[in-house]
Amino acid sequence: MRLNADRDRCVGAGACASTVPAVFEQDEEEGLVRLVTDRPESALVGVVRRAVSMCPAQAIRVSAE
């Protein structure tokens, strides 16, 4: 799994960061998504997919890699 976060689409809702803080965070300046890692460990795949599905702006993309 590889992640890509589109900060131009992000609205700063924070669902991703609150769901998986080991993978997502919000920057302090604008409150937009920032990836802690773009390749989460396999144990986090399920919860990462849930966080991605919760994004109201669909700003996070998942690819198989």
Side-chain angles (χ1 to χ4, degrees):
M1 167 185 275
R2 185 167 190 174
L3 301 171
N4 181 286
D6 184 344
R7 291 173 50 88
D8 291 330
R9 287 186 73 134
C10 180
V11 296
C16 58
S18 64
T19 303
V20 197
V23 177
F24 306 104
E25 63 184 10
Q26 289 180 277
D27 70 35
E28 291 185 24
E29 207 171 283
E30 298 175 290
L32 302 178
V33 65
R34 185 168 43 207
L35 296 175
V36 175
T37 179
D38 67 344
R39 297 179 188 261
E41 55 189 75
S42 59
L44 296 175
V45 168
V47 71
V48 167
R49 287 193 184 278
R50 187 175 75 205
V52 169
S53 73
M54 292 170 46
C55 179
Q58 299 176 346
I60 305 163
R61 301 278 183 224
V62 177
S63 61
E65 200 173 318

